[in-house]
Amino acid sequence: PPRRRLNRRRLLGGGAVAAGAAGIGWGARALTTRDEPPPTSAIEPFYGTHQSGVATDPQSHAAFVAFDLKPGTHRDDLIGVLKIWTGDAARLTQGRPALADTEPELAQRPSRLTVTVGLGPAVFTVAGLEHHRPSWLRPLPPFDIDRLESAWSDGDLLVQVCADEATTVSHAVRVLSRSVSSLVSVRWVQRGFRNAEPGRTPRNLMGQVDGTVNIAPGTDFDRLVWDDGAAQPWLAGGTSCVLRRIAMTLDTWDEIDQEGRELTVGRRIADGAPLTGSGEFDEPDFAAVDANGIPVIPPSSHIARAHHTHEGERFLRRGYNYDDAPAPGRISNSGLLFAAYQRDVDAQFLPVQRRLAEFDALNVWTTPVGSAVFVIPPGVPSPGGYLGQSLFE
Ligand code: HEM
């Protein structure tokens, strides 16, 4: 839309309020202040074999945004959206404003910004590419513990935006949502945060050290997370994201004493050590029993149930806490944006989720209220390419 200038006279006459209400922006300005390049420590790469935001050391703020394709959207529109997001992300992540950025100053602090794009099942239908759809790309089967709300579930496209500053996340989300608003509509936005102290495992809002047992880049990570293209050659270097929004019932969790809390998870609250160990990273001994022959780590505890039964059942957890406004009469609305990344949802994530849905002592205080599955295409190797290109070629 054409920009209108606000002059001093209109501002002093109260015109700004009216103009603001009408959605009239400030004119685009040249960068005049603080336009020195951002420190390289604040920049995550955009180009590469894989998209950033998966193996990336988790930043402290995240927004997961799902979009729905507007009716009548075709294959070329999809390619258009992906090209626009590629251009926006390539610039914003490197501390440069997007094209037609209305707040270019906000791009100057990338704060390790990453933009990770995912595709939902409908993309393959709309683009006439069903034969390229990974076999696991569909909503998870329903579980008895689920109380899913459509407001937090599914979606045709995902944009995961992470950075160490919330302002940076907001700006990137706004740019990425606005630049494609004629073709897609926002379905849901889920914002989260986590402690991002290097070398220290963060805590979730139940107070537990959360993220101890995970797969780290440089280990089995490549094999467990990145697709090798064996089933779908276009997906080599890509992965999947399962996002579960899990509400915590903190008011009743508050009633449980320390010992009860520790038996529920199988780890100590103070330092996250397994009940059979003394340090956070000690291997839990699920076979250990006390003097009465009772297991030290209860078989019903979260870690006993979630622990992989074979190596191929592991995946990357990269979750964020959420803490939203409570409903009338309630005092909290908190939980976990549980984000899991794996090359095969059916083989890695699903068996663990099934086990937890069947029984997990933690289920008394946790309720899945949202669920979505996306394929994360490989990265853009170099300038000139676009996200998802290998799918459409
Ligand atoms: C471990 C919390 C949901 C899978 C843990 C730990 C905590 C925790 C405190 C122990 C520390 C660690 O290793 O990170 C929670 C909370 C949840 C939740 C509060 C819900 C609000 C889930 C879900 C899954 C899952 C939905 C998978 C479907 C795992 C796995 C481990 C784990 C695989 C490591 C188990 C091991 O091998 O020791 N979780 N979790 N968690 N959780 Fe969860």
Side-chain angles (χ1 to χ4, degrees):
R3 293 260 158 67
R4 299 245 316 254
R5 265 184 89 91
L6 292 180
N7 61 31
R8 267 176 75 78
R9 196 151 57 92
R10 287 186 47 164
L11 279 171
L12 293 171
V17 176
I24 299 166
W26 299 86
R29 286 147 295 157
L31 294 180
T32 50
T33 53
R34 310 190 55 210
D35 50 0
E36 66 277 6
T40 49
S41 61
I43 292 182
E44 294 291 343
F46 175 73
Y47 294 106
T49 316
H50 315 296
Q51 291 195 58
S52 289
V54 179
T56 308
D57 225 1
Q59 302 95 322
S60 45
H61 295 273
F64 295 83
V65 188
F67 297 85
D68 281 336
L69 299 166
K70 289 190 174 171
T73 312
H74 298 295
R75 176 194 164 102
D76 289 348
D77 301 319
L78 258 169
I79 294 175
V81 168
L82 292 166
K83 283 185 172 170
I84 290 170
W85 279 346
T86 304
D88 288 346
R91 298 177 69 94
L92 290 172
T93 55
Q94 306 306 299
R96 292 187 297 142
L99 298 175
D101 200 323
T102 45
E103 286 79 29
E105 294 80 4
L106 294 181
Q108 290 178 322
R109 294 178 64 83
S111 309
R112 301 205 301 123
L113 173 71
T114 55
V115 174
T116 316
V117 169
L119 315 174
V123 162
F124 295 82
T125 318
V126 164
L129 293 169
E130 282 292 353
H131 54 295
H132 283 325
R133 186 216 283 224
S135 56
W136 43 257
L137 182 61
R138 53 180 146 64
L140 295 183
F143 302 103
D144 287 347
I145 52 169
D146 288 354
R147 299 291 177 269
L148 302 186
E149 298 169 30
S150 61
W152 305 122
S153 300
D154 305 323
D156 298 343
L157 293 163
L158 170 77
V159 174
Q160 172 198 303
V161 178
C162 302
D164 282 328
E165 290 186 46
T167 310
T168 303
V169 171
S170 291
H171 176 244
V173 166
R174 164 130 183 94
V175 167
L176 293 158
S177 307
R178 204 187 52 158
S179 60
V180 294
S181 61
S182 61
L183 298 168
V184 299
S185 47
V186 175
R187 180 181 175 88
W188 46 251
V189 181
Q190 307 197 45
R191 294 181 189 280
F193 53 89
R194 56 186 278 153
N195 307 123
E197 193 182 338
R200 187 173 288 223
T201 315
R203 286 184 188 270
N204 63 38
L205 294 176
M206 292 175 121
Q208 304 146 352
V209 176
D210 191 348
T212 303
V213 176
N214 218 340
I215 49 174
T219 59
D220 294 339
F221 189 99
D222 285 1
R223 194 167 49 76
L224 291 163
V225 174
W226 303 127
D227 192 279
D228 61 2
Q232 291 291 351
W234 74 269
L235 188 52
T239 185
S240 68
C241 173
V242 175
L243 183 68
R244 303 273 289 171
R245 182 182 182 87
I246 307 177
M248 294 173 169
T249 315
L250 293 182
D251 295 352
T252 51
W253 178 249
D254 284 352
E255 296 163 1
I256 309 300
D257 65 9
Q258 180 95 344
E259 195 192 357
R261 291 175 174 210
E262 296 183 337
L263 291 169
T264 299
V265 174
R267 288 180 174 271
R268 286 207 300 261
I269 296 290
D271 54 8
L275 296 180
T276 50
S278 56
E280 182 190 343
F281 295 99
D282 289 354
E283 198 62 42
D285 180 357
F286 294 109
V289 292
D290 66 12
N292 299 317
I294 295 173
V296 180
I297 298 175
S300 59
S301 66
H302 182 64
I303 64 163
R305 297 293 294 167
H307 190 65
H308 55 273
T309 58
H310 62 91
E311 295 295 303
E313 237 179 41
R314 292 172 301 154
F315 48 81
L316 173 72
R317 293 184 288 138
R318 195 181 188 281
Y320 284 85
N321 301 317
Y322 75 82
D323 185 24
D324 288 354
R330 307 297 294 270
I331 59 171
S332 76
N333 176 8
S334 312
L336 198 59
L337 304 178
F338 182 92
Y341 305 80
Q342 52 279 302
R343 55 180 290 189
D344 186 335
V345 177
D346 288 354
Q348 295 166 263
F349 180 83
L350 211 49
V352 179
Q353 178 62 87
R354 272 211 183 96
R355 235 172 12 247
L356 295 179
E358 216 170 83
F359 198 87
D360 172 4
L362 198 59
N363 286 347
V364 175
W365 301 277
T366 58
T367 310
V369 295
S371 184
V373 181
F374 300 95
V375 55
I376 307 291
V380 181
S382 55
Y386 65 92
L387 287 161
Q389 187 167 3
S390 55
L391 172 62
F392 294 97
E393 277 176 341

Short mmCIF file of all heavy atoms in Angstrom, two decimals, residues 96 126 128 180 198 210 214 262 279 281 299 344 368:
data_model
loop_
_atom_site.label_atom_id
_atom_site.label_comp_id
_atom_site.label_asym_id
_atom_site.label_seq_id
_atom_site.Cartn_x
_atom_site.Cartn_y
_atom_site.Cartn_z
N ARG A 96 20.53 -8.18 8.08
CA ARG A 96 20.17 -7.20 7.05
C ARG A 96 18.65 -7.14 6.94
O ARG A 96 17.97 -8.17 7.04
CB ARG A 96 20.76 -7.61 5.69
CG ARG A 96 22.29 -7.49 5.68
CD ARG A 96 22.83 -7.72 4.29
NE ARG A 96 22.54 -9.07 3.84
CZ ARG A 96 22.21 -9.39 2.58
NH1 ARG A 96 22.11 -8.46 1.67
NH2 ARG A 96 21.98 -10.64 2.26
N VAL A 126 -1.66 -30.13 -2.85
CA VAL A 126 -1.84 -28.92 -3.66
C VAL A 126 -0.85 -28.89 -4.83
O VAL A 126 -1.19 -28.49 -5.95
CB VAL A 126 -1.66 -27.66 -2.76
CG1 VAL A 126 -1.46 -26.41 -3.59
CG2 VAL A 126 -2.86 -27.52 -1.84
N GLY A 128 0.45 -31.40 -6.29
CA GLY A 128 0.40 -32.60 -7.14
C GLY A 128 1.64 -33.46 -6.96
O GLY A 128 2.12 -34.08 -7.91
N VAL A 180 3.90 -12.76 2.69
CA VAL A 180 3.17 -13.79 1.94
C VAL A 180 1.67 -13.77 2.25
O VAL A 180 0.97 -14.74 1.97
CB VAL A 180 3.76 -15.19 2.26
CG1 VAL A 180 5.19 -15.32 1.76
CG2 VAL A 180 3.70 -15.48 3.76
N PRO A 198 24.96 -21.17 28.13
CA PRO A 198 25.77 -22.19 27.49
C PRO A 198 26.27 -23.24 28.48
O PRO A 198 26.69 -22.91 29.60
CB PRO A 198 26.95 -21.40 26.90
CG PRO A 198 26.49 -19.99 26.82
CD PRO A 198 25.50 -19.82 27.93
N ASP A 210 15.45 -30.15 32.26
CA ASP A 210 14.79 -30.80 31.11
C ASP A 210 15.66 -30.67 29.86
O ASP A 210 15.89 -29.56 29.37
CB ASP A 210 13.42 -30.14 30.91
CG ASP A 210 12.55 -30.89 29.92
OD1 ASP A 210 13.06 -31.78 29.22
OD2 ASP A 210 11.35 -30.56 29.84
N ASN A 214 19.86 -36.26 25.46
CA ASN A 214 19.50 -35.75 24.15
C ASN A 214 20.58 -36.20 23.18
O ASN A 214 21.60 -36.76 23.61
CB ASN A 214 19.42 -34.22 24.20
CG ASN A 214 18.28 -33.67 23.34
OD1 ASN A 214 17.78 -34.35 22.44
ND2 ASN A 214 17.90 -32.45 23.62
N GLU A 262 10.19 -36.16 42.40
CA GLU A 262 11.37 -36.86 41.90
C GLU A 262 11.02 -38.27 41.44
O GLU A 262 11.53 -38.74 40.42
CB GLU A 262 12.47 -36.83 42.96
CG GLU A 262 12.90 -35.39 43.23
CD GLU A 262 14.04 -35.24 44.23
OE1 GLU A 262 14.24 -36.16 45.04
OE2 GLU A 262 14.72 -34.20 44.17
N GLY A 279 25.35 -37.43 39.65
CA GLY A 279 25.55 -36.27 38.77
C GLY A 279 24.52 -36.30 37.64
O GLY A 279 23.98 -37.36 37.30
N PHE A 281 24.65 -36.18 34.49
CA PHE A 281 24.87 -36.99 33.29
C PHE A 281 25.20 -38.45 33.58
O PHE A 281 25.59 -39.19 32.69
CB PHE A 281 25.92 -36.31 32.39
CG PHE A 281 25.42 -34.98 31.89
CD1 PHE A 281 25.79 -33.80 32.50
CD2 PHE A 281 24.51 -34.94 30.83
CE1 PHE A 281 25.28 -32.57 32.06
CE2 PHE A 281 24.00 -33.73 30.38
CZ PHE A 281 24.39 -32.54 30.99
N PRO A 299 9.36 -47.83 37.55
CA PRO A 299 9.12 -48.18 36.14
C PRO A 299 8.04 -47.29 35.50
O PRO A 299 7.98 -47.19 34.28
CB PRO A 299 8.64 -49.64 36.21
CG PRO A 299 9.10 -50.15 37.53
CD PRO A 299 9.15 -48.98 38.45
N ASP A 344 12.61 -40.02 10.86
CA ASP A 344 11.43 -40.85 10.61
C ASP A 344 10.51 -40.82 11.83
O ASP A 344 10.81 -41.44 12.85
CB ASP A 344 11.89 -42.29 10.30
CG ASP A 344 10.73 -43.19 9.89
OD1 ASP A 344 9.58 -42.90 10.27
OD2 ASP A 344 10.98 -44.20 9.19
N PRO A 368 -1.58 -33.01 26.45
CA PRO A 368 -1.32 -32.48 25.10
C PRO A 368 -2.55 -31.74 24.58
O PRO A 368 -3.65 -32.31 24.53
CB PRO A 368 -1.05 -33.75 24.27
CG PRO A 368 -0.73 -34.82 25.28
CD PRO A 368 -1.54 -34.47 26.50
#
